Amino acid sequence: MIDINLLRADPEKVKNILKIKNYDLDSGLFAEIDSNRKTLQTDAEDLKSLKNKLSKEFGELKKNNQDTSELSNQLDEIKKNLLEKEELLNKTLSHLNDFLLDIPNIPHQDVEPGNSEEDNKVIKTFGDVQKNDSIDHLEITSDIDIESAVKLAGTRFAVLKDDIAKLHRALISFMLDVAEKNGYQERYVPFMANSRSLTGTGQLPKFEEDLFKATEDLFLIPTAEVPLTNLYADSILEQGNLPIKVTSHTPCFRSEAGSYGKDTKGLIRQHQFEKVEIVQVVHPDKSDSALEDLLSNAEEILQLLELPYQVVQLCGGDLGFSSAKTYDIEVWIPSQNKYREISSCSNFTDFQSRRSKIRLNEDGNKIFPHTLNGSALAVGRTLVAIIENFYDGKNAIHVPKTLQKYLNKEVITCK
RNA sequence: GGAGAGUUGGCUGAGUGGUCGAAAGCGCCUCCCUGCUAAGGAGGUAUACGGGUAACUGUAUCGAGGGUUCGAAUCCCUCACUCUCCGCCA
């Protein structure tokens, strides 16, 4: 949620900034709704005020056994008017709210224009990539069993077996350990969330079709960002408690609506995948440096795993709805001969804290802290990267050194 | 799933139709007295939103939503959550 006062003060400026995100703000409509709201609200409150006053007088008259019929008529009239006003006001307020919930976050000043991922800027590369005709992870090992998963649930699921399942589990432990070493406190959280939480972090109301809905008002989480960030919803944090740094490993569920035909083969794009997420809540002055910190925390995992990657900064057009600034980390996938996203690290500034009502007590003033999060990392894609980057071309996958102690193995033999 | 009890400000806790945004106590803040502490005295102390340059002012909020009423923390309905017991279950 962007600051409504900013919109009131300088709508044209906001409109211009949001163009970089390809969002066309209807500033005229906003002015109209807001001015309607103002008139209706003052009118309604004046009527209520009058009603309260007259009701008191009514009580006095009753107490003294005096005639109340005149007042009674007057009050009837006021109530009728009030009912009409309130109905209009509620409509206007919900219209205004819908309007505000639809507006994306304002991009950070560092964000450059651009339309799509083609325009993202590579700001760093790490490691050497192998450019040969590698076979993909499904061909390397038969321990990724898609057929069984189709039987159980359908496409975009997988069953992992034996050493591959263990490698998958080892990665989760390893990632959590790195996060803990970097100061993140581990949390175990619900894998379902209500609409209140999902609205807070920005998935709802606009992106409901991307989610799996379980029952009325309960959705499977698309990322641990939702529970971790909403841990602090509706609360007032003390300065001494910042920065908050928390982490959690959760499965993530995504409907992948609209991605038919994309990445249909293998583990790259699944309805269910594991991820270790890191989240920070920081003072507004600190979020720029916190994003760099968070990014380096995610990068560290790839470095320890000796996986080649690049970091890109997203251009305005590719930036997510809630984000002010995002770095994607892309890992080298030999079979595709390109880098693929394995982590997304974002600064949401005060966008989520406004929606979730996360506040910070700064010397008695309640301000909105900044929230950030990043994947560290997406486990399924890390698994793919390891299988493909460390495949010896024959029948073995070399386990990266740091992982060996988690797996008690140096080599995984392909079946 | 069944039965019962409960949900009031930072906390404890009173309040069954108007004088209640809410007693009292604790905590916290300011001042006074004392001054080594401790004790004592006076006052203040919720949040959100709106209007106003401001002083100030209006509205809403006693778990949530609806209803009855001129008027609801208080009466009625629905729901959520917490606790106890029973059932079921990992």
Side-chain angles (χ1 to χ4, degrees):
Chain A
M1 183 97 73
I2 72 168
D3 185 357
I4 193 168
N5 291 317
L6 203 65
L7 260 184
R8 284 179 181 143
D10 198 347
E12 290 313 306
K13 187 175 156 197
V14 176
K15 186 184 171 91
N16 274 322
I17 300 174
L18 287 176
K19 274 185 187 153
I20 200 173
K21 261 189 157 175
N22 295 329
Y23 185 84
D24 187 24
L25 179 73
D26 192 342
S27 48
L29 180 63
F30 170 76
E32 189 191 319
I33 302 172
D34 195 41
S35 108
N36 270 342
R37 185 227 96 234
K38 186 166 161 177
T39 315
L40 287 167
Q41 184 167 347
T42 39
D43 288 359
E45 287 185 359
D46 285 348
L47 280 173
K48 277 188 202 168
S49 174
L50 186 61
K51 189 186 97 177
N52 287 342
K53 206 180 106 207
L54 295 183
S55 289
K56 252 183 198 151
E57 286 175 23
F58 190 102
E60 287 298 314
L61 290 183
K62 270 277 184 215
K63 205 163 78 184
N64 300 324
N65 281 322
Q66 287 173 284
D67 178 39
T68 55
S69 55
E70 196 187 323
L71 254 189
S72 191
N73 289 336
Q74 217 177 329
L75 275 160
D76 278 350
E77 189 65 22
I78 291 170
K79 275 171 84 175
K80 219 175 77 198
N81 284 337
L82 186 58
L83 216 62
E84 276 171 34
K85 286 279 183 211
E86 280 196 312
E87 199 177 318
L88 276 172
L89 176 62
N90 286 336
K91 263 190 202 149
T92 307
L93 283 175
S94 95
H95 193 180
L96 182 63
N97 195 244
D98 292 347
F99 185 88
L100 291 172
L101 283 176
D102 189 70
I103 302 174
N105 196 5
I106 288 174
H108 192 279
Q109 57 192 17
D110 290 352
V111 173
E112 294 184 22
N115 291 316
S116 70
E117 58 180 305
E118 308 293 309
D119 302 312
N120 294 339
K121 202 166 82 186
V122 177
I123 60 169
K124 179 177 184 179
T125 58
F126 172 91
D128 298 320
V129 304
Q130 17 162 337
K131 295 199 174 179
N132 47 24
D133 298 325
S134 307
I135 53 175
D136 77 22
H137 52 288
L138 293 185
E139 291 176 77
I140 293 172
T141 173
S142 61
D143 281 342
I144 302 172
D145 180 359
I146 302 295
E147 230 171 90
S148 293
V150 167
K151 180 175 70 184
L152 296 172
T155 54
R156 292 206 191 281
F157 290 96
V159 171
L160 304 181
K161 302 195 291 198
D162 303 322
D163 280 348
I164 296 299
K166 286 182 191 167
L167 177 61
H168 184 256
R169 175 157 57 90
L171 279 169
I172 294 166
S173 289
F174 162 68
M175 289 176 190
L176 283 170
D177 284 351
V178 174
E180 186 184 4
K181 187 214 79 183
N182 286 325
Y184 294 86
Q185 296 178 308
E186 186 169 343
R187 298 287 183 263
Y188 171 81
V189 296
F191 301 157
M192 293 191 183
N194 55 29
S195 60
R196 164 94 189 54
S197 298
L198 286 153
T199 304
T201 31
Q203 285 78 16
L204 290 179
K206 221 172 173 177
F207 307 102
E208 179 164 355
E209 61 168 20
D210 295 337
L211 302 170
F212 282 113
K213 189 170 191 172
T215 61
E216 188 54 40
D217 207 48
L218 247 200
F219 300 80
L220 294 170
I221 55 169
T223 159
E225 155 193 355
V226 177
L228 284 176
T229 307
N230 280 292
L231 237 26
Y232 307 98
D234 286 317
S235 53
I236 299 173
L237 306 168
E238 295 300 325
Q239 273 186 296
N241 297 332
L242 296 194
I244 284 168
K245 295 169 80 172
V246 285
T247 184
S248 191
H249 148 246
T250 71
C252 303
F253 302 93
R254 299 186 182 179
S255 75
E256 295 297 343
S259 65
Y260 306 110
K262 234 197 245 174
D263 300 313
T264 48
K265 227 182 138 205
L267 291 185
I268 293 288
R269 192 175 298 276
Q270 300 266 288
H271 284 314
Q272 170 187 325
F273 63 95
E274 310 293 298
K275 183 157 60 64
V276 171
E277 186 79 358
I278 50 180
V279 165
Q280 294 198 23
V281 183
V282 305
H283 188 280
D285 293 344
K286 301 272 173 61
S287 67
D288 282 349
S289 60
L291 180 60
E292 303 302 319
D293 176 54
L294 195 114
L295 173 65
S296 71
N297 296 153
E299 279 183 65
E300 183 181 345
I301 295 182
L302 288 161
Q303 290 168 9
L304 288 169
L305 293 173
E306 302 163 66
L307 287 167
Y309 69 87
Q310 66 176 18
V311 178
V312 301
Q313 189 189 332
L314 301 198
C315 67
D318 201 26
L319 208 54
F321 175 74
S322 304
S323 176
K325 180 178 178 180
T326 296
Y327 293 116
D328 274 2
I329 305 178
E330 302 176 335
V331 71
W332 182 254
I333 301 294
S335 67
Q336 300 191 357
N337 223 35
K338 62 179 173 192
Y339 290 101
R340 294 301 306 264
E341 178 184 339
I342 196 166
S343 170
S344 196
C345 299
S346 303
N347 180 359
F348 299 92
T349 58
D350 59 0
F351 190 79
Q352 294 181 325
S353 57
R354 274 178 201 285
R355 288 177 160 238
S356 292
K357 300 195 171 57
I358 303 172
R359 278 159 304 160
L360 170 62
N361 183 359
E362 187 189 51
D363 308 321
N365 292 319
K366 311 286 187 296
I367 63 169
F368 292 104
H370 286 188
T371 60
L372 306 97
N373 68 56
S375 353
L377 302 161
V379 180
R381 289 188 181 182
T382 309
L383 189 74
V384 169
I386 287 175
I387 292 170
E388 295 197 6
N389 280 283
F390 298 122
Y391 176 52
D392 71 354
K394 283 172 272 179
N395 66 344
I397 299 157
H398 294 281
V399 178
K401 253 200 185 62
T402 30
L403 268 189
Q404 288 175 5
K405 64 170 184 280
Y406 287 87
L407 208 60
N408 285 323
K409 246 183 199 166
E410 291 174 22
V411 170
I412 291 172
T413 308
C414 302
K415 286 190 279 185

